[in-house]
Amino acid sequence: MADSDSQSSKTEFRRLLKLAELDVDFSTVDKKLDDLTKLAAHITGTPISLINLLEANTQWTISNYGLDIRHTPREDTVCQYVIQSDEPLEISSMTEDDRFKDKQYVIQSPHIQYYYGIPLSNGDGNRVGALCVMDTKPKDLTDTQKDMLDIIADQAMNCIQNHHKMKVMQEVIDNLKLVQQKVTHDIRGPIGGIIGIAEIMEAELEDPDFDEYRRFLELIKSGGQSVLELADDILSNDFRLSTDVDEYTFQTNINELKAKLLALYKPQALSKSIDLYAEVSAEEPERYFPKHKLMQVFGNLITNAIKFTEPGGRVDIELALIETDETTLKFRVTDNGKGMSHERIEEILSDNPESTAGTGLERGFGYGFQLARHLVESLNGELFIESKPDAGTSVNVFIPILLP
């Protein structure tokens, strides 16, 4: 049994890593996904269709039709069962299923009665989410309708993956721009120095006997000037993707990052009567930088802070850009919740963390800190946890960033 649990744990963590690698911005919806959810609902004749991605503690609805919803605690969802198998999950009567008959969305509005969900797989066997349709009355989908939903689910996954590929391409381009600027700068310095020395030596060689040397110096100056002109030409080129992607589609600034985090996680905090605040500190708050995996890192840590804070408590977010030899993004989330012992901190940062119930008895999946730490390290950053039992917790993250 222990081996089975360990294997299940590794499988789930691997699934969460694959989802994190897609780097989905849960606050931004691709219009193509909205078209697909609408199509799924029309084909099946159901009033509701959703595309959901499942993180460690939260189900994010990245596209919806017929039900205005953005996030749901994972423990309350049907899709948590869909991602456990490659096969679709059909529930003919939610009111007769012990897992769901007491859920709010069954006994209250929208009174879901029928559910059909298809796992969204990235092709490596990792099921990151689900496409589902739901109805408020009994339903019987035909084989043709189910086949069409399979096709729509594949298209939804393709859209998510293609968006990620575009993001990776843009990051490569941005990095090439930085290399381009550095190389041209490194060329200009030495060549400019050589030209300067050649000019000094030329001025010193007035004797006619040195005419041959002056000719060589002139060649050095001429060749060096050509290299400088080439460097200027390279530096002035606008090297970017010839696509419709906006220059800042895959970037953010510290104020935008703050706004996104509050928009996504303040509703979670309010649902538990917790105050969530955020403040920023930056000399240039409008300066853009890559947002690669930042939402995944910070989102997991904020969700954990909310989870372990009592109703009526408070969670504070601090964001700062620190300018030293390099630019570092600092993120700090502090809560006045349950806190942790030193032993517990070591455990949650280990390779086999144990799940712990939150203050509202939320069921944890034991991966929030572990996943955040892994992502931070993949970004060459550092994560530190400060906590004591009954004295709250502060998590500090420092991530070096490349500024365009």
Side-chain angles (χ1 to χ4, degrees):
M1 179 64 71
D3 290 342
S4 177
D5 291 342
S6 175
Q7 183 60 39
S8 177
S9 175
K10 291 179 180 178
T11 299
E12 171 61 8
F13 187 66
R14 186 164 55 246
R15 187 194 73 80
L16 290 172
L17 283 179
K18 292 298 181 180
L19 174 58
E21 287 173 5
L22 290 173
D23 200 16
V24 179
D25 185 344
F26 299 120
S27 66
T28 304
V29 178
D30 190 328
K31 183 63 172 62
K32 294 178 182 178
L33 293 179
D34 282 347
D35 292 339
L36 292 175
T37 49
K38 182 177 181 180
L39 178 61
H42 280 280
I43 285 176
T44 57
T46 56
I48 299 171
S49 176
L50 308 174
I51 294 176
N52 299 316
L53 299 179
L54 280 83
E55 282 196 313
N57 299 302
T58 305
Q59 172 179 283
W60 291 99
T61 300
I62 60 172
S63 181
N64 60 68
Y65 178 85
L67 183 63
D68 186 12
I69 188 171
R70 176 174 288 184
H71 60 81
T72 309
R74 176 171 164 173
E75 63 206 64
D76 292 335
T77 68
V78 186
C79 292
Q80 65 174 310
Y81 298 97
V82 177
I83 63 172
Q84 294 177 10
S85 170
D86 289 324
E87 298 301 319
L89 174 64
E90 184 173 30
I91 302 175
S92 300
S93 178
M94 298 281 281
T95 56
E96 296 178 5
D97 193 308
D98 290 339
R99 295 171 296 179
F100 312 113
K101 65 182 182 181
D102 295 325
K103 298 296 184 184
Q104 184 176 356
Y105 50 81
V106 175
I107 60 179
Q108 298 180 23
S109 180
H111 298 286
I112 301 300
Q113 176 67 19
Y114 175 83
Y115 174 96
Y116 187 87
I118 301 172
L120 299 178
S121 176
N122 68 346
D124 295 333
N126 293 287
R127 298 175 288 273
V128 298
L131 164 73
C132 64
V133 294
M134 294 176 281
D135 208 328
T136 57
K137 58 182 184 295
K139 196 77 179 176
D140 186 17
L141 296 184
T142 66
D143 290 341
T144 299
Q145 288 173 318
K146 292 178 180 179
D147 288 342
M148 292 298 292
L149 286 179
D150 283 336
I151 295 173
I152 294 173
D154 287 341
Q155 288 303 309
M157 194 66 223
N158 286 337
C159 284
I160 295 169
Q161 290 178 312
N162 288 339
H163 189 75
H164 171 64
K165 290 174 183 177
M166 286 297 298
K167 186 181 300 186
V168 172
M169 289 173 63
Q170 189 63 50
E171 288 168 0
V172 170
I173 295 299
D174 290 340
N175 287 334
L176 285 175
K177 286 181 182 179
L178 292 174
V179 172
Q180 175 191 43
Q181 293 172 7
K182 184 178 186 303
V183 169
T184 52
H185 176 271
D186 291 347
I187 290 174
R188 287 188 59 85
I191 296 300
I194 291 172
I195 293 175
I197 293 172
E199 289 175 344
I200 293 172
M201 293 177 65
E202 188 177 32
E204 295 290 333
L205 297 176
E206 298 179 354
D207 193 310
D209 293 338
F210 293 103
D211 285 347
E212 186 70 14
Y213 292 103
R214 281 199 297 272
R215 188 171 68 84
F216 288 140
L217 289 173
E218 187 61 38
L219 290 174
I220 291 173
K221 285 171 55 182
S222 176
Q225 194 61 45
S226 296
V227 174
L228 283 183
E229 290 173 0
L230 176 61
D232 286 336
D233 185 54
I234 293 173
L235 189 59
S236 64
N237 280 335
D238 188 13
F239 191 83
R240 65 179 64 185
L241 281 174
S242 57
T243 68
D244 295 330
V245 179
D246 184 82
E247 182 178 0
Y248 298 119
T249 299
F250 306 122
Q251 297 183 354
T252 189
N253 61 48
I254 201 163
N255 283 330
E256 285 184 0
L257 188 57
K258 168 191 169 182
K260 282 182 179 289
L261 292 174
L262 287 177
L264 286 173
Y265 297 99
K266 197 157 192 173
Q268 288 188 19
L270 291 175
S271 69
K272 200 177 172 183
S273 299
I274 292 172
D275 292 323
L276 178 65
Y277 298 94
E279 62 179 32
V280 301
S281 174
E283 294 182 1
E284 298 180 65
E286 302 304 319
R287 194 168 188 184
Y288 279 83
F289 50 84
K291 61 182 180 182
H292 182 53
K293 296 182 182 177
L294 296 182
M295 298 298 291
Q296 279 65 36
V297 172
F298 302 155
N300 272 287
L301 297 176
I302 294 170
T303 297
N304 271 301
I306 294 171
K307 172 184 172 184
F308 292 106
T309 300
E310 296 280 358
R314 173 172 175 145
V315 174
D316 288 279
I317 301 167
E318 299 174 44
L319 292 163
L321 285 179
I322 303 172
E323 302 286 351
T324 53
D325 293 338
E326 62 180 4
T327 302
T328 301
L329 176 63
K330 175 187 176 182
F331 169 86
R332 178 182 177 93
V333 58
T334 304
D335 65 67
N336 59 358
K338 296 170 62 174
M340 296 177 285
S341 66
H342 177 72
E343 291 74 21
R344 176 57 181 160
I345 293 175
E346 290 186 339
E347 180 185 335
I348 65 173
L349 290 177
S350 69
D351 293 333
N352 295 292
E354 292 289 334
S355 175
T356 303
T359 57
L361 299 182
E362 306 98 324
R363 181 162 60 89
F365 288 80
Y367 298 104
F369 276 120
Q370 188 188 23
L371 182 62
R373 182 196 63 172
H374 180 91
L375 294 177
V376 168
E377 291 175 351
S378 74
L379 296 170
N380 298 315
E382 296 179 293
L383 182 150
F384 303 98
I385 301 175
E386 303 168 6
S387 186
K388 292 182 179 179
D390 302 318
T393 300
S394 290
V395 181
N396 296 275
V397 174
F398 299 89
I399 297 175
I401 59 175
L402 295 175
L403 292 174

